[in-house]
Every structure is written in structure tokens, then in C-alpha cells.
Amino acid sequence: MAHNLAPYLALGEPSEALRKLVAHGRGVSAVDYLAALAKAPRYAASLAEIFDAYDAILTPATSGVAPKGLGSTGDPVFCTLWTLTGLPALSLPLFAGEGGLPLGAQLVGPAGRDGRLMRTATALLATLAETQRHSPRKRGRR
């Protein structure tokens, strides 16, 4: 990330969070970075049994609610593993937290099966919507 974003940092005024992230990245040696890249396919392959039994893995998308405003998209810590391994992942605003701001959940799918992950997300959202329509608490408020 530090290497890829360096030209863009010079063009504008990046946020403090981005500057810190890039500075941290510059501190990682090429040897350590290449070692992590070499391990990524093995890690992704180790999840194959899970994806044989389940459509997706559900994880937190972030450590908290979405930040207010457009200054940041939040901390990417919960996304970086999936980016490293090349596994498709998507975030869904399934919950609401402090101030009504969205609190996301992340679905992760098997490599090369992006369409399957999208269908799983669609089915999850439809199931949750149906459950809410039939919730006794919701009917009591009408």
C-alpha cells in the first residue's frame, strides 16, 4: 500500500490516518512483505473445507460504527486479510450502532466465487428482511 499510494500522497493532502498507515507500510521490509505474500495462497487454501460446508464466513467488518462524514472510510484492519488472500469479501450494514450509524458485518467467500458470495449476501438480506416483517416486536408497534 505504501508503494502503490506514494505517488498519490504527493498530489494532495492525505488524512492523518492515511499518512500513518503509509508510514507504517514503509517500515515493513521487502523480505517480510514477500514472505507474507508467499503464505497467502496456503492460508486461502486452508479455508477450502469451510467453504465446502458453508456458503460464507461472517466476520466483523470494522471495530466500530462507521465514521461520521466523508473524511474516512474507517480502519481497514478487518479487510486486509481477505485482500491479502484474494478471497472475495463484502460488507453489509446489518446493524446500527451509536448515533444510528451503520455497523457492518462482512461476508467472505471462496476464491473465484464472487457470484456465489453475492447470491449468499442477497439471500441473507432477504431472510433478515422476512424475519423483521414477521417479528412479534415489530407487529406490536403497528
Side-chain angles (χ1 to χ4, degrees):
M1 189 169 173
H3 173 75
N4 291 334
L5 293 180
Y8 299 105
L9 293 177
L11 295 176
E13 295 183 28
S15 68
E16 180 65 24
L18 182 58
R19 283 195 302 272
K20 285 181 180 179
L21 192 61
V22 170
H24 175 74
R26 288 181 175 146
V28 176
S29 74
V31 171
D32 289 342
Y33 176 69
L34 293 173
L37 286 180
K39 292 176 186 174
R42 187 173 55 212
Y43 180 75
S46 72
L47 297 173
E49 281 186 39
I50 291 173
F51 293 124
D52 286 343
Y54 301 97
D55 294 325
I57 297 171
L58 181 66
T59 71
T62 64
S63 59
V65 297
K68 285 186 178 181
L70 301 175
S72 170
T73 59
D75 187 344
V77 70
F78 288 95
C79 305
T80 53
L81 176 62
W82 313 121
T83 300
L84 175 68
T85 58
L87 296 178
L90 56 88
S91 295
L92 302 169
L94 297 182
F95 309 102
E98 189 177 311
L101 292 169
L103 181 62
Q106 184 171 222
L107 286 179
V108 180
R113 302 294 307 273
D114 300 48
R116 173 179 155 179
L117 182 62
M118 294 296 286
R119 288 188 298 276
T120 300
T122 300
L124 173 62
L125 292 173
T127 300
L128 291 173
E130 186 65 23
T131 301
Q132 282 185 334
R133 272 196 294 278
H134 297 293
S135 169
R137 248 180 35 182
K138 182 132 181 150
R139 280 196 308 260
R141 287 190 224 152
R142 289 184 187 173

